[in-house]
């Protein structure tokens, strides 16, 4: 797990977290969508954003960084949701 932590790009993770929240809260009321697609969407979005941030360069490190950041955003959202649920 520590090996992947060097690939996580914080700005990409933050953008994916915000977009994932919008998808889950706002768009889910208008579009019927299953939650199982959200990690896939965040992974692909993380790759695209990381390529954009890197000046449209594409290397295996950028691919892995985007994928790790998008999936980390999904995990961070679940962590926040579970911690908030336990406080109530």
């Amino acid at each position: 797990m520590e090996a992947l932590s060097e690939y996580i790009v914080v700005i990409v993770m933050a953008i994916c977290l915000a977009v994932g929240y919008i998808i889950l809260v706002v768009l889910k009321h208008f579009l019927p969508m299953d939650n199982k697609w959200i990690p896939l969407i965040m992974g692909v979005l993380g790759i695209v954003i990381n390529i954009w941030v890197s000046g449209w360069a594409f290397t295996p490190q950028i691919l892995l960084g985007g994928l790790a950041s998008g999936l980390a955003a999904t995990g961070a959202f679940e962590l926040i949701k579970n911690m908030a649920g336990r406080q109530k």
Side-chain angles (χ1 to χ4, degrees):
M1 198 63 154
E2 290 180 22
L4 286 178
S5 66
E6 69 184 60
Y7 288 104
I8 293 176
V9 181
V10 177
I11 190 73
V12 175
M13 184 177 141
I15 293 170
C16 287
L17 185 61
V19 171
Y21 182 78
I22 290 169
I23 288 173
L24 188 65
V25 174
V26 177
L27 293 180
K28 201 167 180 188
H29 292 288
F30 300 109
L31 299 171
M33 182 174 60
D34 195 10
N35 284 348
K36 69 180 181 181
W37 296 106
I38 293 176
L40 176 66
I41 294 169
M42 292 301 101
V44 172
L45 181 65
I47 292 169
V48 171
I49 292 172
N50 202 25
I51 290 171
W52 173 62
V53 167
S54 301
W56 300 107
F58 185 75
T59 64
Q61 289 82 12
I62 292 172
L63 174 73
L64 182 59
L67 187 60
S69 299
L71 294 177
T74 304
F77 178 79
E78 288 296 319
L79 177 70
I80 293 167
K81 184 175 80 169
N82 289 336
M83 287 179 69
R86 291 182 184 177
Q87 290 179 352
K88 292 180 181 179

